Amino acid sequence: MPDVAAANDDVATPELMKAVSAAFNSRDVDRIVSHFTDDATFWLARGPEPVGRTLRGKETIRKTLAERFKVIPDMRWDHKEYIFAGNRAISVWTVIGKGADGEELNYQGCDIYTFRGGKISAKDTYWKIVENKDRL
């Protein structure tokens, strides 16, 4: 639930979200993690857990993103919309890129952010699953 009474430096703003998005699109891991709190949690869309994969702490996030960009060096997000609610924001996007294994990324998704002190304390990523099966 959004903290609508959040302190001003906790409030998600368009400028903050544009800076976060630009950092991710730069694929500069140090620039990206500069937007996270030291104790941040990042839930990836893919992984072995029902929530995808849980990354805890800035250093784990740094290491995982560095590995991801080695595998998908041209990964890029086209941000369509930002939605704001107190210290939370949603970014709606399309991600594209080509993995070293040949996987073509072209997914629609969103991130749900929680901010504390002007930095990301939580990021939860979701994206559409593209498959060639006839099922709902």
Side-chain angles (χ1 to χ4, degrees):
M1 192 61 131
D3 181 358
V4 293
N8 283 345
D9 62 349
D10 289 341
V11 173
T13 65
E15 297 76 24
L16 179 56
M17 288 305 298
K18 287 176 186 174
V20 168
S21 297
F24 270 90
N25 276 328
S26 76
R27 293 176 299 283
D28 177 336
V29 176
D30 290 328
R31 182 176 170 192
I32 295 166
V33 297
S34 74
H35 289 280
F36 283 85
T37 61
D38 290 339
D39 64 344
T41 302
F42 184 170
W43 294 277
L44 301 176
R46 287 182 170 175
E49 306 162 49
V51 295
R53 179 179 309 272
T54 303
L55 307 178
R56 294 193 193 284
K58 189 184 253 187
E59 291 310 311
T60 301
I61 294 166
R62 172 185 274 116
K63 179 181 175 192
T64 303
L65 290 176
E67 290 299 316
R68 173 186 279 175
F69 295 140
K70 285 180 189 173
V71 175
I72 313 168
D74 64 344
M75 191 172 199
R76 180 157 185 83
W77 295 263
D78 178 15
H79 294 272
K80 309 288 186 193
E81 179 181 15
Y82 299 114
I83 302 163
F84 301 95
N87 68 330
R88 302 196 72 192
I90 298 171
S91 173
V92 179
W93 41 259
T94 299
V95 65
I96 59 171
K98 186 168 185 175
D101 63 358
E103 179 186 5
E104 300 257 355
L105 275 70
N106 186 1
Y107 303 125
Q108 293 182 15
C110 67
D111 288 308
I112 303 171
Y113 291 91
T114 303
F115 290 92
R116 185 177 71 236
K119 296 196 180 276
I120 302 163
S121 61
K123 180 178 188 286
D124 198 355
T125 297
Y126 297 85
W127 64 30
K128 300 286 187 176
I129 297 173
V130 178
E131 59 186 6
N132 295 313
K133 295 179 184 176
D134 188 20
R135 67 177 179 189
L136 297 176

